[in-house]
Amino acid sequence: MFTVKQLSKLAGVTPRTLHHYDDIGLLKPSHVGNNGYRYYGEDAVLRLQQILLYRELDIPLDDIKKIMGHREYDVMGALQSHKEALSKQAVRINRLIQTVDNTINHLKGNKKMSDEKLFEGFSEEEQEKYALEAEQLYDPETVRESNRKWKAYSAAKKEAILAEGNTIYKDMIAILPKGANSAEAQAIVERWRKHMDYFWTPNLEQLLGLANGYNDDPKFKANFDKMDPRLAEFMRDAVKVYIESKK
């Protein structure tokens, strides 16, 4: 049996996290002593592992509770799914690491990179995720329709769309000194808005939500920082100006 302190140290989570999981019925202790202390046995430890694996995949706690609470929940099947999902993440992360290494060498003058190589780590999956981020806050059916729309494109069309998106970001970087309210920046925001139509058509509020996500979501921010540390904030400011001009 593990105490809260022992299990939190073992799993790399805080005691407060374990208390919260208990409070919401996600992870109950195996036994509560007369002294009120929580004790966790092997079943609880394995359940915690499952929870943390789902959290690693950015699945909300409420959804995890529903998944693991289903009477047909299969631990072995879930582990296999975790392995497949994490393997895909590993491939993507390794590709991003390689892109960062290549960029460092490029900036040091050790190895010249083409414009395409600068964006090599930004896969189709990542680009699609950017476009869907804001809409997930509003209408799940829109998310499903957007996925159907994207999957209907041919491989050549997808490649062209992603190339267009990369060009928009590169062009925005090029005019950073002109300011977010410049005519050049606003023209690029208009191109960016039209580019979103390949995935979905956001209203002005959703458009701002997407631009805010570039700054507020650590994963998105990190990817934009690899292009230029100023880009995410500049995009948000330019989009704000764009939206004000449309009101």
Side-chain angles (χ1 to χ4, degrees):
M1 288 284 185
F2 294 91
T3 64
V4 168
K5 183 177 180 180
Q6 291 170 334
L7 183 56
S8 66
K9 183 176 180 179
L10 176 68
V13 299
T14 65
R16 180 177 294 181
T17 296
L18 294 179
H19 289 160
H20 179 60
Y21 289 173
D22 184 5
D23 291 340
I24 65 175
L26 181 59
L27 179 68
K28 289 292 186 181
S30 304
H31 172 67
V32 178
N34 294 330
N35 54 7
Y37 284 8
R38 299 172 172 89
Y39 295 94
Y40 297 86
E42 182 179 357
D43 288 347
V45 173
L46 288 173
R47 184 174 177 85
L48 176 59
Q49 183 206 51
Q50 293 293 302
I51 294 168
L52 297 181
L53 285 170
Y54 279 120
R55 292 297 292 142
E56 189 67 26
L57 298 173
D58 293 328
I59 297 176
L61 291 177
D62 285 345
D63 290 345
I64 296 174
K65 185 176 178 181
K66 291 177 183 176
I67 293 169
M68 298 185 67
H70 197 282
R71 62 183 179 183
E72 295 181 359
Y73 179 72
D74 175 20
V75 174
M76 289 297 292
L79 284 170
Q80 186 61 43
S81 296
H82 291 320
K83 180 181 177 180
E84 293 172 0
L86 292 170
S87 294
K88 290 179 181 178
Q89 282 192 3
V91 170
R92 180 179 62 80
I93 290 171
N94 285 333
R95 185 167 59 244
L96 288 171
I97 290 172
Q98 184 62 54
T99 299
V100 172
D101 285 341
N102 289 339
T103 304
I104 291 172
N105 287 326
H106 170 75
L107 294 175
K108 287 182 176 180
N110 297 332
K111 182 180 179 181
K112 183 67 176 176
M113 290 180 71
S114 66
D115 288 340
E116 289 74 20
K117 285 289 184 181
L118 284 170
F119 294 90
E120 190 172 49
F122 297 90
S123 66
E124 171 186 326
E125 177 183 288
E126 285 296 299
Q127 292 284 353
E128 185 177 356
K129 185 176 179 182
Y130 292 156
L132 295 177
E133 174 66 10
E135 67 177 279
Q136 290 176 337
L137 299 175
Y138 299 93
D139 180 16
E141 177 54 35
T142 304
V143 178
R144 290 190 288 270
E145 178 57 32
S146 180
N147 279 323
R148 288 192 290 267
K149 186 175 183 179
W150 177 255
K151 291 175 182 177
Y153 294 134
S154 66
K157 181 66 173 179
K158 289 180 180 178
E159 184 177 350
I161 292 170
L162 296 180
E164 179 184 297
N166 286 338
T167 298
I168 289 171
Y169 296 133
K170 286 188 289 185
D171 289 349
M172 189 66 89
I173 291 170
I175 57 90
L176 283 170
K178 293 183 179 292
N181 60 352
S182 66
E184 292 87 347
Q186 291 306 298
I188 295 173
V189 172
E190 177 63 26
R191 286 167 53 199
W192 174 72
R193 190 208 64 76
K194 291 180 179 177
H195 180 73
M196 289 298 114
D197 288 342
Y198 288 118
F199 304 92
W200 64 301
T201 302
N203 59 35
L204 293 179
E205 181 183 4
Q206 292 168 331
L207 202 66
L208 181 59
L210 185 58
N212 284 333
Y214 291 165
N215 289 269
D216 300 337
D217 188 300
K219 293 180 181 178
F220 289 177
K221 182 65 164 59
N223 283 336
F224 274 81
D225 285 351
K226 292 184 181 75
M227 290 184 267
D228 190 293
R230 302 166 294 173
L231 180 58
E233 183 176 358
F234 189 86
M235 282 286 296
R236 179 184 61 194
D237 293 344
V239 170
K240 285 182 178 179
V241 174
Y242 177 86
I243 290 173
E244 285 298 319
S245 71
K246 298 296 182 181
K247 291 182 178 179

